[in-house]
Amino acid sequence: MKAPLSWLKDYVSIDLSVDELASRLALTGTEVERVSEFGVPGENDNQRFFVVGKVIGCTSHPDSDHLSVCIVDVGEGEPRTIVCGAPNVAAGQTVAVVLPGGVMPGDFKIKEAKLRGVRSLGMIMSEAELGLAAKSEGIMVLPDEWPAGDPLSRYFTLSDKVLEVEVTP
């Protein structure tokens, strides 16, 4: 059985590290086979790269039928250009953005890139890319009242430790 630490904390107060919790569970006869991390890697202050963005402009990419060139406010004063391949991206949306330097689930590092000649300074994300859903049809559109530049971790649990427990009779 897989038990996310955040789920366990909904039912009991836990003020132990995940390793100490696994050790204590083992003392009760509950074998913890593995502890894994789900979602956005949390080490090295990685989650600071995951922010709320406001798409203030969106045009078709000049050299692609399926890409869009977006101007996105991420709370830095100067907006960023981000090339996006999602079919549902549009001006006026509030979106989830990962900035260059961020590491996605699966250890994929986001870098500045040129996509068909246009410089892209980040990535607009879907629920699946964030690890919040198994599948998604396009980018995740967030509530309009969320301010540009706010950390996504203020609104979502971006990563969680998962205890894989052997349930024995």
Side-chain angles (χ1 to χ4, degrees), residues 83-156:
V83 177
C84 182
N88 66 325
V89 69
Q93 292 174 325
T94 301
V95 295
V97 174
V98 59
L99 304 173
V103 179
M104 300 284 290
D107 288 330
F108 179 74
K109 186 169 184 173
I110 300 298
K111 301 176 185 172
E112 290 185 21
K114 265 196 176 179
L115 298 169
R116 298 204 180 177
V118 176
R119 189 169 167 221
S120 185
L121 302 173
M123 179 177 153
I124 300 173
M125 298 174 292
S126 69
E127 292 97 333
E129 290 163 334
L130 271 171
L132 299 174
K135 193 175 172 183
S136 57
E137 297 296 318
I139 60 161
M140 179 170 46
V141 179
L142 304 173
D144 289 334
E145 59 270 10
W146 293 4
D150 263 13
L152 287 176
S153 60
R154 178 174 290 165
Y155 306 102
F156 301 112

Side-chain angles (χ1 to χ4, degrees), residues 148-164:
D150 263 13
L152 287 176
S153 60
R154 178 174 290 165
Y155 306 102
F156 301 112
T157 299
L158 293 178
S159 68
D160 202 357
K161 300 287 186 186
V162 178
L163 291 96
E164 294 184 36

Side-chain angles (χ1 to χ4, degrees), residues 8 19 32 55 90-91 96 98 106 110 155:
L8 291 172
D19 293 330
V32 178
V55 181
V98 59
I110 300 298
Y155 306 102

